[in-house]
């Protein structure tokens, strides 16, 4: 992806107000955002058009966010942020063990999520630049 292209973020959450708030704040920060009511819909969209970052609710109708995270990790290194109302160390550990890059408990400030998204993209760009420098 070229540096001047907008990053595409997929958000899956069964709560309409959370989806809309994240979409509004992320778009205001300059990202393209597609929202989904379920992780299954997000996974189908990702298989057709991969995005640059995924935000997944843990508890959704159909497959859980944990299941979608696990499935994505079988074929993609896309950064994943888990978002959940479940606030336990076991949920955090499960998310990280499955390959999540970050974990938020609800209610999460949309501005905090945007800050973490920016941080993850900076890290990804740094790692990409370091890998390219090392290949020379």
């Amino acid at each position: 992806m070229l540096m001047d292209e907008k990053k595409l973020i997929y958000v899956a959450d069964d709560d309409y107000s959370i989806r809309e708030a994240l979409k509004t704040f992320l778009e205001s920060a300059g990202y393209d955002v597609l929202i989904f009511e379920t992780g299954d819909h997000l996974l189908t969209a990702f298989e057709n058009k991969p995005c640059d970052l995924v935000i997944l609710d843990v508890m959704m109708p159909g497959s859980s966010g944990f299941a979608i995270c696990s499935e994505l990790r079988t074929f993609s290194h896309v950064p994943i942020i888990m978002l959940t109302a479940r606030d336990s160390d076991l949920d955090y550990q499960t998310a990280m063990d499955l390959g999540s890059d970050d974990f938020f408990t609800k209610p999460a400030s949309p501005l905090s999520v945007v800050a973490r998204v920016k941080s993850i993209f900076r890290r990804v760009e740094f790692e990409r630049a370091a890998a390219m420098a090392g290949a020379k």
Side-chain angles (χ1 to χ4, degrees):
M1 173 168 274
L2 299 174
M3 296 291 272
D4 59 347
E5 286 185 28
K6 275 189 169 181
K7 301 281 190 197
L8 176 60
I9 299 173
Y10 286 173
V11 176
D13 196 301
D14 60 338
D15 185 315
Y16 174 82
S17 61
I18 291 172
R19 285 193 312 270
E20 289 299 321
L22 288 173
K23 180 176 174 50
T24 298
F25 279 83
L26 288 165
E27 286 179 343
S28 293
Y31 301 109
D32 285 331
V33 180
L34 291 179
I35 56 175
F36 305 91
E37 291 182 30
T38 71
D40 297 311
H41 292 142
L42 181 146
L43 187 59
T44 299
F46 190 94
E47 289 170 346
N48 292 317
K49 181 181 180 182
C51 64
D52 299 296
L53 185 135
V54 169
I55 299 174
L56 286 172
D57 184 14
V58 171
M59 297 182 296
M60 294 181 283
S63 299
S64 73
F66 288 148
I68 299 301
C69 179
S70 181
E71 178 66 23
L72 283 168
R73 283 294 173 251
T74 65
F75 63 89
S76 175
H77 294 291
V78 66
I80 299 171
I81 297 174
M82 301 298 297
L83 187 64
T84 183
R86 296 165 46 155
D87 185 17
S88 78
D89 289 341
L90 180 59
D91 290 322
Y92 176 81
Q93 180 180 354
T94 300
M96 296 316 217
D97 287 348
L98 290 173
S100 175
D101 295 275
D102 209 340
F103 183 91
F104 273 97
T105 55
K106 295 177 187 177
S109 157
L111 287 174
S112 294
V113 175
V114 170
R116 297 269 184 99
V117 166
K118 288 178 179 180
S119 177
I120 288 172
F121 281 140
R122 278 193 304 272
R123 179 183 50 83
V124 167
E125 290 301 324
F126 176 79
E127 290 172 358
R128 181 176 295 138
M132 291 178 80
K136 291 182 180 181

